[in-house]
Amino acid sequence: MDHINLVETFSEFKEFKNIDRETMMRILEDVFRHMLEKKFGSDENFEIIVNIDRGDLEIWRNREIVEDGAVEDENTQIALSDAIKIEPDFEVGEEVSEALKLEDFGRREILTIRQNLVSKVIEYEKDSIYRKYKEKVGEIITGEVYQVWKKEILILDDEGYELSLPKQEQIPSDFYRKGDTIRAVVSRVEMRNNTPSIVLSRTSPIFLERLFESEVPEIYDGLITIKKIVRVPGERAKVAVESYDDRIDPVGACVGMKGSRIHGIVRELKNENIDVINYTNNTTLFIQRALSPAKISSIQLDETNKKAEVYMKPDQVSLAIGKGGYNIKLAGKLTGYEIDVYREDIDSEDVDIHEFSDEIDQWIIDVLKGIGCDTAKSVLELDLKELVKRTDLEEETIKEVIRILKAEFE
């Protein structure tokens, strides 16, 4: 038998180890059939036997024996005088099978086969990567940092495929070096210039959801449901959870004994503060829980406009708003309500900040209200540096506001 040694003929053959046997056989057969059709006009009377284990293939051409001088198609017919040279016992009407040798193909044809083989394999590998990761969208994968650039981090998965973690999908305090192990969720997969582009994310709420699933068996098993997640990556997150089994405390199960379950998640997210909240259909109670750790005195709801006026004691306002205003912003996103915080039991000598709208621009009043300062005294209780830090206003602007408010009490 005449075998065509694939390893000797095509050096690239050794590199195609990631392709399963059946697919490799199909690709090789397709490439050679294409060449046979081009060379002989048809490939229907050829048999191709691929042996991946040995790294070779056989090509057999079947032709019908006809009388001498009666050959009409040299590809499908052979004269009796030529047939008996192969096997003396052949007769007219029988079929002859001949093996094609490598020499039967010209140098240019071998080169074309090589190019087609490489092209088909690369095309298959790209399609395979695309399909593999398309099914993994929303799943956490672990990879190794390959290159760190200004706008993205390139990551290699366990099979050596390139994945991208763009800057906007990184937690602000993320810092990685080449060779580090990294975890992220597959965010999206798309084809760009016929090449699969796999984008990962560490800022997506889905990443946090999958981390909870991996750390909390009750969530993975469906005993606890995550109703909604909102987060400011690296700063704060709020997770609303619910259990249909009264025997399970969903918040306690998520946090774990002495925080054992949530600590791993917090570390992975670079110390992002995570509030786990018991979900309820009672909007007032849900808003109250969402504004934790602040204690609420009363809430007035405007369900039509999805607004909530929340009243609390003066010392609770800063807790409700939180560092950078993240607590109140996330509570609003979680509940779907625009939340305004007001102090109760205002000092009879105190003055609502709105009373100064003729002297202080409305946008400045809105900024002050945004940090929980809705009265003159609540602004004056804070020193200049603290006000500048919290409001992000110019120092001169704050000084002018303080001057106007102080004048009211002189």
Side-chain angles (χ1 to χ4, degrees):
M1 285 188 185
D2 289 278
H3 304 282
I4 295 176
N5 191 306
L6 295 166
V7 178
E8 287 179 8
T9 311
F10 310 113
S11 56
E12 298 89 350
F13 184 78
K14 290 181 281 187
E15 298 171 19
F16 304 150
K17 56 184 180 292
N18 290 333
I19 298 180
D20 63 87
R21 183 177 313 189
E22 192 179 325
T23 304
M24 193 67 215
M25 287 170 70
R26 193 180 72 245
I27 290 173
L28 282 163
E29 187 173 338
D30 284 348
V31 167
F32 274 91
R33 281 203 178 278
H34 180 72
M35 180 51 66
L36 290 169
E37 190 175 356
K38 198 172 178 183
K39 184 178 177 66
F40 298 103
S42 172
D43 66 329
E44 290 178 8
N45 59 315
F46 288 88
E47 281 184 45
I48 298 176
I49 302 166
V50 183
N51 191 318
I52 294 293
D53 295 330
R54 284 207 307 262
D56 62 28
L57 64 77
E58 302 165 33
I59 301 174
W60 294 87
R61 178 162 66 163
N62 303 315
R63 292 192 287 180
E64 184 189 357
I65 302 170
V66 296
E67 296 284 359
D68 289 357
V71 175
E72 294 176 0
D73 181 359
E74 288 189 1
N75 182 38
T76 59
Q77 296 172 329
I78 184 171
L80 178 61
S81 56
D82 291 328
I84 58 176
K85 290 175 185 174
I86 300 167
E87 180 65 57
D89 298 336
F90 275 136
E91 295 177 6
V92 172
E94 289 185 329
E95 197 173 66
V96 176
S97 291
E98 292 174 277
L100 260 67
K101 305 182 184 71
L102 190 61
E103 301 85 70
D104 294 327
F105 294 93
R107 185 172 170 275
R108 185 173 291 179
E109 286 168 336
I110 292 289
L111 188 63
T112 303
I113 290 172
R114 175 184 280 122
Q115 288 170 342
N116 287 344
L117 179 59
V118 172
S119 175
K120 286 255 185 189
V121 168
I122 290 172
E123 188 181 316
Y124 172 80
E125 285 188 330
K126 285 179 179 179
D127 188 55
S128 179
I129 296 165
Y130 177 81
R131 282 186 282 106
K132 173 188 171 181
Y133 276 99
K134 198 71 177 170
E135 292 173 4
K136 286 180 177 283
V137 170
E139 289 182 23
I140 286 180
I141 63 117
T142 303
E144 183 183 310
V145 175
Y146 174 60
Q147 270 185 321
V148 180
W149 291 333
K150 196 173 182 180
K151 291 186 177 179
E152 68 175 328
I153 293 175
L154 281 187
I155 297 157
L156 296 181
D157 71 359
D158 53 3
E159 292 181 26
Y161 297 137
E162 263 188 18
L163 319 171
S164 168
L165 180 66
K167 187 71 179 174
Q168 64 268 26
E169 300 293 346
Q170 298 170 32
I171 295 169
S173 53
D174 273 345
F175 179 75
Y176 291 99
R177 290 190 178 94
K178 185 175 180 178
D180 286 350
T181 300
I182 190 168
R183 291 169 83 196
V185 74
V186 180
S187 176
R188 60 185 185 275
V189 181
E190 51 201 34
M191 276 290 190
R192 289 183 187 167
N193 301 324
N194 205 32
T195 302
S197 168
I198 299 128
V199 179
L200 308 180
S201 175
R202 286 173 53 80
T203 61
S204 167
I206 296 169
F207 182 49
L208 179 50
E209 186 175 344
R210 294 292 173 268
L211 289 172
F212 266 102
E213 284 177 4
S214 65
E215 292 288 338
V216 184
E218 292 88 343
I219 292 177
Y220 184 81
D221 294 336
L223 298 171
I224 294 173
T225 305
I226 294 176
K227 299 294 286 186
K228 192 173 182 180
I229 293 178
V230 290
R231 60 187 289 226
V232 177
E235 293 290 346
R236 193 163 199 151
K238 288 186 182 287
V239 183
V241 293
E242 183 179 36
S243 174
Y244 299 108
D245 189 334
D246 294 337
R247 294 168 297 176
I248 296 174
D249 168 21
V251 175
C254 290
V255 173
M257 286 282 287
K258 296 181 180 177
S260 58
R261 288 178 172 177
I262 208 164
H263 279 165
I265 301 172
V266 170
R267 277 195 302 272
E268 180 65 51
L269 301 180
K270 309 297 180 188
N271 294 322
E272 190 171 306
N273 288 318
I274 302 171
D275 299 330
V276 183
I277 297 152
N278 206 338
Y279 177 79
T280 174
N281 287 321
N282 182 326
T283 306
T284 301
L285 183 57
F286 192 35
I287 291 172
Q288 187 175 325
R289 288 173 179 173
L291 283 169
S292 175
K295 291 182 173 65
I296 312 300
S297 300
S298 64
I299 299 176
Q300 289 181 8
L301 292 180
D302 177 356
E303 293 184 358
T304 308
N305 298 308
K306 293 282 182 182
K307 289 186 175 182
E309 293 182 356
V310 180
Y311 295 86
M312 57 188 70
K313 290 182 179 174
D315 62 342
Q316 297 298 305
V317 172
S318 59
L319 287 174
I321 289 163
K323 179 188 170 186
Y326 295 136
N327 197 52
I328 195 166
K329 283 176 191 171
L330 291 175
K333 285 183 180 178
L334 190 72
T335 59
Y337 274 73
E338 185 184 323
I339 301 172
D340 287 321
V341 172
Y342 297 93
R343 294 161 181 258
E344 64 169 13
D345 301 324
I346 294 176
D347 187 336
S348 58
E349 293 181 4
D350 206 349
V351 182
D352 192 293
I353 197 79
H354 280 295
E355 298 293 326
F356 298 91
S357 57
D358 56 337
E359 294 177 84
I360 302 172
D361 290 342
Q362 185 59 46
W363 69 273
I364 296 174
I365 291 173
D366 290 340
V367 170
L368 291 168
K369 278 189 67 186
I371 65 160
C373 296
D374 52 3
T375 68
K377 285 191 175 180
S378 66
V379 176
L380 296 173
E381 280 170 6
L382 300 172
D383 62 34
L384 180 65
K385 282 185 180 177
E386 185 66 20
L387 282 167
V388 170
K389 183 182 171 185
R390 287 203 198 178
T391 61
D392 208 24
L393 293 171
E394 295 287 336
E395 189 172 315
E396 289 305 313
T397 304
I398 295 293
K399 281 181 178 177
E400 179 59 17
V401 169
I402 291 171
R403 186 193 65 75
I404 291 167
L405 297 181
K406 277 186 175 177
E408 179 68 24
F409 299 103
E410 286 176 356

